[in-house]
Amino acid sequence: MDTADGLTFREATDADVDALVALIESAYRGDSSRVGWTTEADILEGQRTDPEGVLAVIKSPDSRLLTVERDGTVVACCQLEHRGDHAYFGMFAVSPPLQGAGLGKVIIAEAERTVRETWGAQEMHMTVISVRGDLIAWYERRGYRRTGRMTPFPYGDERFGVPQRDDLQFELLVKELGRPGQNPRTVTP
C-alpha cells in the first residue's frame, strides 16, 4: 500500500532479513540508536534481534512483518501477530534519523487498521520494558493503556540483549480497536 507521504507498506520476505535486522539494531542498540529517541543503549547492550528471529516472524503463519519503505529503502517495520480476538504488536523500529517526525504515528495507525481488517482483532497488545517511561507515554498518547501486568525480562538469554540493570521487566499495554469498519475513537471502555 502506498501513502500520500511516499511510504509503501508491504509484508517482509526472506530477502528483507538482513535489512530488517540492521534497521532494528540501529533503532535500539549501540551509538547509532542514540540519534533517535527509542534507544535502549543505556539499559541493554548486545543484540536486539538476529536473522533467525526475524525470519521466524516472516515464516510464522500467524504473523506478518510489516515493512515500510520510502524511495525503495526500508525505513521502518513492525511485527503483527494474530492471537485470537486480539493482535500482538512488536519488533517496531523506525530508522533513527527519521524518528520524531510523525512516521511512527502513521505506521502504528496502519498496523491497527491492518489487524482490525485482516483478522478482526478488537484489541492490540504489546509489551514494553517498564522502565521506558518516555516510550510508554508515547504509546499512551496513541490510546494504549498500561495494565500493570508484568512479565520477567529473560535475564541470561543474550538473544534479547545484555541487561545493564537488574530491574527490567515487560509491561503489557492494550488498546481497544473496535470492530472492522468501526472508528476506534467511538469505542467505549
Side-chain angles (χ1 to χ4, degrees):
M1 175 183 132
D2 290 330
T3 64
D5 49 8
L7 299 177
T8 301
F9 292 83
R10 64 176 177 79
E11 288 189 40
T13 67
D14 296 9
D16 295 314
V17 169
D18 290 341
L20 291 169
V21 170
L23 169 70
I24 294 163
E25 292 298 312
S26 75
Y28 291 98
R29 298 289 197 274
D31 288 336
S32 66
S33 70
R34 295 181 194 281
V35 172
W37 68 273
T38 62
T39 184
E40 295 172 344
D42 294 329
I43 60 173
L44 290 161
E45 291 181 353
Q47 71 178 31
R48 177 65 149 59
T49 192
D50 55 32
E52 295 78 18
V54 171
L55 191 58
V57 173
I58 291 170
K59 295 291 190 189
S60 172
D62 293 324
S63 284
R64 57 181 56 170
L65 192 50
L66 190 62
T67 302
V68 185
E69 293 181 334
R70 179 178 279 156
D71 300 325
T73 301
V74 174
V75 296
C77 68
C78 64
Q79 171 193 6
L80 304 174
E81 184 177 323
H82 186 213
R83 296 184 178 176
D85 66 346
H86 72 274
Y88 179 80
F89 179 84
M91 213 177 275
F92 186 29
V94 174
S95 177
L98 301 177
Q99 292 178 16
L103 189 57
K105 293 177 207 176
V106 172
I107 295 164
I108 201 166
E110 176 61 16
E112 291 166 358
R113 185 199 66 76
T114 298
V115 301
R116 204 171 43 246
E117 291 183 7
T118 303
W119 296 321
Q122 296 177 33
E123 287 184 341
M124 185 81 90
H125 291 198
M126 71 174 72
T127 55
V128 178
I129 296 174
S130 63
V131 298
R132 296 291 318 276
D134 54 345
L135 188 57
I136 291 172
W138 187 87
Y139 284 120
E140 287 179 312
R141 289 191 299 276
R142 314 270 103 49
Y144 288 80
R145 64 177 170 76
R146 298 181 83 158
T147 65
R149 292 177 23 205
M150 303 291 182
T151 54
F153 186 86
Y155 284 92
D157 187 342
E158 291 190 7
R159 291 178 303 157
F160 299 96
V162 179
Q164 302 303 297
R165 331 171 28 149
D166 63 2
D167 62 344
L168 301 182
Q169 57 186 342
F170 294 104
E171 182 171 2
L172 175 67
L173 305 182
V174 175
K175 179 177 181 178
E176 292 187 32
L177 301 176
R179 291 180 175 34
Q182 179 183 26
N183 181 342
R185 290 182 185 87
T186 63
V187 175
T188 54

